[in-house]
Amino acid sequence: MSESVLIERERGVLRITVDRQARMNAIDLATMDELGELVTAAHTDPETRVIVLTGAGKAFCTGADLAAAAAAGGNEAPPERVMDSANAVIRAIVASPLPVIARVNGPAAGVGTSIALAADLIYAAETAYLLLPFTSIGLMPDGGATAMVAAAMGRVRAAELALLGARLPAPEAAAAGLITRSLPADQLDAEVDAVAAKLAAGPRRSLELTKAAINAATLTELDAALDREKTGQSELLVSPDFLEGMTAVLTRRPPRFAGAPAPIADPA
């Protein structure tokens, strides 16, 4: 395994931890590829009965690593390749015959939110939050977020999160049915460990068929959403607006998108 992804196996539980703490667990293409490969490999591992996804330190995953993309001249690979990698992670989580738990220990932003929401059970610290900041840098939500958020919260709330990039604190996400439960940070590990142990001791085939039936009934639009997001994001990743948005983030200034009116001056 790379230094960016840690794995632990104990009593049927496979814990996969993104460990890029210097970047708040923002992930580059190599890390995304590795996540997809690890989850997929676990599908047929007879020793694994539950997967736990989490982040090291203070964050779950804050999305794509823009600094890595900038260092590679804007993109680490052709946009279609980047989107295929992200979609492979989401499809691997949803298609896994194993229950997947997201331990959201801190901020989950961008594709980090999508990875968390693809899990079957999502437990978050009360201090954590979800964020879809794509439009602020000239992109659109991806990783199936356009389907998963709307399926859980409805079109209007999904539009608020996606179009405005509104931050959603974990307690509100739980109240809206977007995540399983929000807990005090010091209780998160005990809850996740107890749930993982219960699932690991359960009937594997029964859990597999139950998960598949729920997903078939509720995620009917996921594949179509992933395809739409790939098409749209592949266009946006090479657009002037994304270049401006990425530059603005990295230089810590407001973006100036083409054709947008000048910001209203602060009277103070």
Side-chain angles (χ1 to χ4, degrees):
M1 295 300 100
S2 73
E3 294 181 354
S4 296
V5 181
L6 309 176
I7 59 171
E8 302 172 77
R9 292 184 175 89
E10 184 178 7
R11 299 180 62 82
V13 179
L14 171 64
R15 180 179 291 248
I16 302 174
T17 303
V18 176
D19 188 7
R20 305 186 82 235
Q21 296 182 59
R23 300 293 304 149
M24 292 289 284
N25 296 331
I27 50 181
D28 56 9
L29 183 59
T31 303
M32 187 75 77
D33 285 342
E34 191 171 2
L35 283 175
E37 291 164 4
L38 285 169
V39 175
T40 299
H43 291 189
T44 55
D45 178 8
E47 301 301 317
T48 301
R49 302 178 69 87
V50 183
I51 299 171
V52 175
L53 300 176
T54 192
K58 298 180 179 180
F60 177 75
C61 171
T62 54
D65 189 343
L66 294 183
N75 289 299
E76 301 168 89
E80 293 80 8
R81 166 74 173 84
V82 173
M83 293 305 301
D84 284 342
S85 180
N87 287 354
V89 174
I90 303 305
R91 286 190 164 108
I93 294 170
V94 173
S96 176
L98 308 172
V100 179
I101 300 171
R103 172 189 173 270
V104 184
N105 51 303
V111 75
T113 292
S114 301
I115 291 170
L117 297 183
D120 305 297
L121 298 167
I122 308 154
Y123 297 93
E126 290 177 345
T127 51
Y129 60 83
L130 307 181
L131 180 66
L132 298 176
F134 296 94
T135 58
S136 67
I137 56 171
L139 296 178
M140 65 179 289
D142 58 25
T146 56
M148 291 185 290
V149 176
M153 301 179 71
R155 185 181 69 87
V156 173
R157 289 301 307 277
E160 179 184 30
L161 293 180
L163 294 176
L164 299 179
R167 180 181 296 193
L168 185 66
E172 293 183 28
L178 192 58
I179 65 174
T180 308
R181 189 163 299 134
S182 171
L183 305 111
D186 60 0
Q187 297 178 22
L188 180 62
D189 283 338
E191 181 75 7
V192 170
D193 290 349
V195 171
K198 180 176 181 177
L199 291 170
R204 179 166 176 154
R205 182 60 173 163
S206 172
L207 294 172
E208 175 184 355
L209 291 177
T210 299
K211 169 178 175 170
I214 291 172
N215 284 349
T218 58
L219 295 179
T220 57
E221 289 298 311
L222 181 59
D223 278 331
L226 291 170
D227 290 341
R228 285 191 296 268
E229 292 167 355
K230 176 182 176 180
T231 298
Q233 203 76 302
S234 295
E235 172 190 334
L236 295 172
L237 282 166
V238 295
S239 70
D241 276 346
F242 173 56
L243 178 59
E244 167 59 18
M246 180 173 63
T247 302
V249 169
L250 295 175
T251 58
R252 301 178 183 275
R253 63 165 174 80
R256 297 183 288 269
F257 295 122
I264 299 174
D266 187 344

